[in-house]
Short mmCIF file of all heavy atoms in Angstrom, two decimals:
data_model
loop_
_atom_site.label_atom_id
_atom_site.label_comp_id
_atom_site.label_asym_id
_atom_site.label_seq_id
_atom_site.Cartn_x
_atom_site.Cartn_y
_atom_site.Cartn_z
N LEU A 772 78.92 112.25 99.14
CA LEU A 772 77.66 111.52 99.07
C LEU A 772 77.93 109.98 98.98
O LEU A 772 78.61 109.52 98.17
CB LEU A 772 76.94 111.90 97.72
CG LEU A 772 76.80 113.43 97.43
CD1 LEU A 772 75.87 113.62 96.21
CD2 LEU A 772 76.22 114.11 98.66
N ALA A 774 75.18 107.79 100.31
CA ALA A 774 73.87 107.21 100.84
C ALA A 774 73.17 106.20 99.88
O ALA A 774 72.21 105.59 100.24
CB ALA A 774 72.96 108.24 101.24
N GLY A 775 73.75 106.10 98.59
CA GLY A 775 73.11 105.23 97.60
C GLY A 775 73.16 103.77 98.11
O GLY A 775 73.89 103.37 98.94
N GLN A 835 70.58 110.37 105.20
CA GLN A 835 69.64 110.73 104.19
C GLN A 835 68.54 109.68 104.33
O GLN A 835 68.67 108.52 103.99
CB GLN A 835 70.23 110.62 102.70
CG GLN A 835 69.34 110.97 101.60
CD GLN A 835 69.98 110.85 100.26
OE1 GLN A 835 71.18 110.56 100.16
NE2 GLN A 835 69.15 110.89 99.20
N GLY A 840 68.15 110.17 95.20
CA GLY A 840 69.07 110.73 94.20
C GLY A 840 70.06 111.65 94.76
O GLY A 840 70.02 112.19 95.93
N THR A 841 71.14 111.85 93.96
CA THR A 841 72.24 112.79 94.37
C THR A 841 71.91 114.21 94.77
O THR A 841 72.46 114.82 95.56
CB THR A 841 73.30 112.67 93.29
OG1 THR A 841 72.73 112.95 92.03
CG2 THR A 841 74.01 111.42 93.20
N TYR A 865 81.44 112.40 95.21
CA TYR A 865 80.81 111.10 95.46
C TYR A 865 81.70 110.21 96.24
O TYR A 865 82.89 110.14 95.98
CB TYR A 865 80.37 110.42 94.13
CG TYR A 865 79.39 111.26 93.36
CD1 TYR A 865 79.17 111.07 91.98
CD2 TYR A 865 78.57 112.21 94.03
CE1 TYR A 865 78.31 111.83 91.20
CE2 TYR A 865 77.55 112.89 93.32
CZ TYR A 865 77.48 112.72 91.93
OH TYR A 865 76.55 113.38 91.17
N ASP A 867 81.98 107.09 95.75
CA ASP A 867 82.40 106.04 94.89
C ASP A 867 83.34 106.52 93.75
O ASP A 867 83.47 105.78 92.81
CB ASP A 867 81.18 105.23 94.34
CG ASP A 867 80.34 106.14 93.35
OD1 ASP A 867 80.59 107.27 93.25
OD2 ASP A 867 79.46 105.47 92.73
N GLY A 901 77.44 110.34 83.20
CA GLY A 901 76.79 111.52 82.71
C GLY A 901 77.75 112.28 81.73
O GLY A 901 78.94 112.16 81.85
N GLU A 915 72.47 112.71 81.62
CA GLU A 915 72.66 111.34 82.04
C GLU A 915 72.73 110.36 80.87
O GLU A 915 72.01 110.54 79.85
CB GLU A 915 71.59 110.92 83.11
CG GLU A 915 71.87 111.61 84.39
CD GLU A 915 73.32 111.42 84.92
OE1 GLU A 915 73.80 110.28 84.98
OE2 GLU A 915 73.98 112.35 85.26
N ASN A 928 81.20 112.92 83.35
CA ASN A 928 81.02 113.74 84.62
C ASN A 928 81.71 112.91 85.76
O ASN A 928 81.26 111.80 86.07
CB ASN A 928 79.58 113.96 84.93
CG ASN A 928 79.35 114.55 86.30
OD1 ASN A 928 80.14 115.17 86.83
ND2 ASN A 928 78.12 114.22 86.84
C1 UD1 B 2604 76.53 109.72 89.04
C2 UD1 B 2604 76.19 110.90 88.17
C3 UD1 B 2604 76.85 110.86 86.77
C4 UD1 B 2604 78.39 110.65 86.99
C5 UD1 B 2604 78.67 109.50 87.84
C6 UD1 B 2604 80.19 109.57 88.21
C7 UD1 B 2604 74.06 111.75 88.93
C8 UD1 B 2604 72.61 111.78 88.72
N1 UD1 B 2604 74.76 111.01 88.08
O1 UD1 B 2604 75.97 108.54 88.43
O2 UD1 B 2604 76.58 111.98 86.04
O3 UD1 B 2604 78.98 110.44 85.61
O4 UD1 B 2604 77.97 109.62 89.10
O5 UD1 B 2604 80.76 108.42 88.81
O6 UD1 B 2604 74.51 112.27 89.91
N2 UD1 B 2604 74.00 108.82 96.52
C9 UD1 B 2604 73.52 109.36 97.64
N3 UD1 B 2604 72.12 109.52 97.72
C10 UD1 B 2604 71.27 109.09 96.78
C11 UD1 B 2604 71.85 108.52 95.67
C12 UD1 B 2604 73.20 108.45 95.49
O7 UD1 B 2604 74.17 109.82 98.59
O8 UD1 B 2604 70.09 109.24 97.00
C13 UD1 B 2604 75.50 108.72 96.38
C14 UD1 B 2604 75.89 107.20 96.13
O9 UD1 B 2604 76.12 106.57 97.29
C15 UD1 B 2604 77.12 107.38 95.31
C16 UD1 B 2604 77.04 108.85 94.59
O10 UD1 B 2604 75.97 109.35 95.37
O11 UD1 B 2604 78.41 107.53 96.08
C17 UD1 B 2604 76.71 108.60 93.14
O12 UD1 B 2604 75.52 107.89 93.01
P1 UD1 B 2604 75.32 106.77 91.86
O13 UD1 B 2604 74.02 106.08 92.05
O14 UD1 B 2604 76.51 105.83 91.96
O15 UD1 B 2604 75.37 107.62 90.64
P2 UD1 B 2604 75.86 107.08 89.15
O16 UD1 B 2604 74.81 106.36 88.55
O17 UD1 B 2604 77.17 106.46 89.19
#
Side-chain angles (χ1 to χ4, degrees):
L772 308 189
Q835 185 185 346
T841 47
Y865 298 159
D867 66 351
E915 284 310 306
N928 171 31

